[in-house]
Amino acid sequence: MVKNSDLAGDRLSMLETLYGYNGKQLNLHALGIVVSLSGILVIAPMLPEIIDDFGITAAEAGGSISFMWACNALAQYPGGRYSERLSSNVVLLASQGVMGAGFLLLVLSNAFPLFIVAIGLIGFGYGMFEPAGIVLLQNLFDENRGQALGIRDAAANLGSALSAVLAITVVGAAAWRAAFVPVVALLGVLVVGGHRLNREPYTVSRVPLDVQSVGTRLFRSRETYAILFVLAVFNFVWQGSASFLPTFLQVEKSLTSFQATVAFASIFLIGMLVTPIAGALCERWSPINLGVGATGFGIVGLGAILGTDSLVGLGVGLVVFAVGLTTIWPVMFVYLTDALAQETVGSDLGALRGVYFAVGSLGPAYVGTVATRFSYTVSFSSLLLCFGLTMLALLWLGSR
């Protein structure tokens, strides 16, 4: 039984995480995640309109989303390395500027090639933004790091859910490009806010990437390969399923565009609730054991979604699937930040994220291609195998 004193201590610890200078930095970074992801993930529920507008296939649409996440993967290591050697605040401001330019170009895109360039800039900017934020939180928080990372992931899920609100607001009322106008404006506000809050000097200099030494330092144990495998495969499932979930629900489950978009949003609303809890639980339980539980939820939830056509069954399946899909990240980030050396956490984490995001970027292309050649049910069913492989890897890690 959890004592009242323990609950009071947890609440006090959470308040300490949210307030003061460190808390303001966390809150500003969380807002940056909310705004950025609301713009990035609004593309998924609007894919049917984008496909019709540009006259492309599902495979081409999936390839374009994969390109965005490939650019994201490419920027992960430089983002972490520059944050470590220069300043995380420098990288955060620069990355938001790159994303802002990409979103502005997306508003102006009148041809598919311009659309590709725009989402490439967005992917690259967000790829630098994420590791810089993790380095910032790793430096600011020690005792409450799990809670800070949980709050960060809650912000990611809130931004993802707001992308659905953007889609519902725009589709049927305006051109899909209009969804990105408020994103551009809010990113500009956050850049100004970050500059005013920052206490560190802006230092810009040439930084060697030194990829070879990072690879030598990281890839010397089977445990590293195992955890990288888990993150890569889970990211593959995440990118593939999230990018096409609204389309899958409309095509295979006969949901309306509104219902499918609400279902898409529900995944991230649930994640917003459970990720801070998952981060806090890392202070008490093993991240690997929590990862095993998250993977189990993912398997059960996806199986339920595939096996039913009723709204109630789909709702239950989506809730369970959302718990599994979203809680894996804060617990794995806690595992990584504890395992990596503090003096090289930026470059090490950036290198690892670059690898597993590169693999994950193939998810939308895979799901879109299989759906084009067979069906969305076949493509989503095959993701169960990915969940099974991650479960085996986590069980192996837990036995070490």
Side-chain angles (χ1 to χ4, degrees):
M1 180 180 293
V2 180
K3 297 179 181 179
N4 290 335
S5 58
D6 292 336
L7 293 174
D10 288 344
R11 284 193 289 268
L12 179 61
S13 179
M14 182 68 76
L15 290 174
E16 291 173 350
T17 304
L18 291 170
Y19 292 100
Y21 174 75
N22 292 356
K24 289 179 181 178
Q25 286 278 23
L26 169 60
N27 293 334
L28 189 67
H29 178 59
L31 284 173
I33 291 174
V34 170
V35 173
S36 302
L37 279 181
S38 66
I40 291 170
L41 293 181
V42 74
I43 297 171
M46 295 197 303
L47 267 185
E49 285 75 22
I50 293 172
I51 289 171
D52 290 342
D53 190 8
F54 290 125
I56 57 176
T57 66
E60 289 172 320
S64 68
I65 303 302
S66 285
F67 174 72
M68 179 178 69
W69 291 114
C71 291
N72 178 283
L74 184 65
Q76 291 284 334
Y77 175 67
R81 179 72 171 173
Y82 294 154
S83 299
E84 175 186 284
R85 297 295 179 179
L86 299 175
S87 164
S88 55
N89 284 300
V90 169
V91 179
L92 287 169
L93 291 179
S95 61
Q96 287 176 314
V98 173
M99 280 191 287
F103 282 119
L104 180 60
L105 192 59
L106 204 57
V107 173
L108 302 175
S109 63
N110 56 5
F112 189 57
L114 194 58
F115 174 84
I116 294 293
V117 173
I119 63 174
L121 284 173
I122 293 166
F124 193 87
Y126 194 68
M128 295 185 70
F129 181 78
E130 279 204 313
I134 293 174
V135 171
L136 175 72
L137 300 185
Q138 194 267 348
N139 291 333
L140 291 176
F141 296 94
D142 186 12
E143 294 180 357
N144 299 336
R145 188 177 301 158
Q147 292 181 358
L149 290 171
I151 291 169
R152 174 197 173 278
D153 273 63
N157 285 289
L158 175 59
S160 304
L162 287 177
S163 69
V165 176
L166 268 178
I168 292 171
T169 303
V170 170
V171 173
W176 58 266
R177 296 170 183 82
F180 304 103
V181 174
V183 177
V184 175
L186 289 172
L187 278 175
V189 172
L190 288 171
V191 168
V192 174
H195 171 69
R196 296 187 64 178
L197 180 63
N198 180 40
R199 294 177 179 175
E200 301 177 2
Y202 294 115
T203 303
V204 179
S205 62
R206 188 168 178 265
V207 177
L209 292 180
D210 198 17
V211 176
Q212 184 176 358
S213 66
V214 174
T216 302
R217 182 171 63 249
L218 284 178
F219 301 109
R220 58 188 179 188
S221 68
R222 288 181 293 176
E223 286 82 357
T224 300
Y225 286 103
I227 194 62
L228 187 58
F229 176 82
V230 169
L231 291 168
V233 176
F234 226 103
N235 198 258
F236 180 90
V237 174
W238 166 259
Q239 301 295 355
S241 60
S243 296
F244 281 98
L245 181 65
T247 308
F248 163 74
L249 292 174
Q250 291 181 62
V251 173
E252 302 288 355
K253 302 298 179 180
S254 300
L255 267 64
T256 66
S257 175
F258 176 79
Q259 289 172 327
T261 303
V262 170
F264 176 76
S266 69
I267 286 183
F268 304 107
L269 289 173
I270 292 163
M272 184 176 64
L273 297 175
V274 300
T275 48
I277 297 172
L281 288 176
C282 288
E283 314 290 343
R284 301 173 182 269
W285 296 332
S286 163
I288 296 299
N289 290 338
L290 290 170
V292 170
T295 306
F297 272 88
I299 292 172
V300 173
L302 182 55
I305 293 170
L306 290 164
T308 183
D309 291 325
S310 72
L311 285 177
V312 174
L314 285 172
V316 172
L318 283 167
V319 169
V320 178
F321 183 57
V323 172
L325 201 62
T326 58
T327 57
I328 191 75
W329 302 110
V331 299
M332 290 297 100
F333 286 154
V334 170
Y335 178 88
L336 283 174
T337 54
D338 286 344
L340 298 175
Q342 184 172 353
E343 61 273 13
T344 58
V345 68
S347 55
D348 291 351
L349 187 59
L352 291 172
R353 287 170 62 86
V355 173
Y356 74 73
F357 265 94
V359 176
S361 71
L362 301 174
Y366 167 79
V367 172
T369 300
V370 174
T372 299
R373 298 194 62 176
F374 301 100
S375 69
Y376 284 104
T377 296
V378 171
S379 62
F380 271 70
S381 296
S382 64
L383 297 179
L384 288 170
L385 175 61
C386 299
F387 273 131
L389 292 174
T390 59
M391 176 69 81
L392 291 175
L394 284 166
L395 290 173
W396 181 82
L397 280 167
S399 68
R400 300 293 293 175

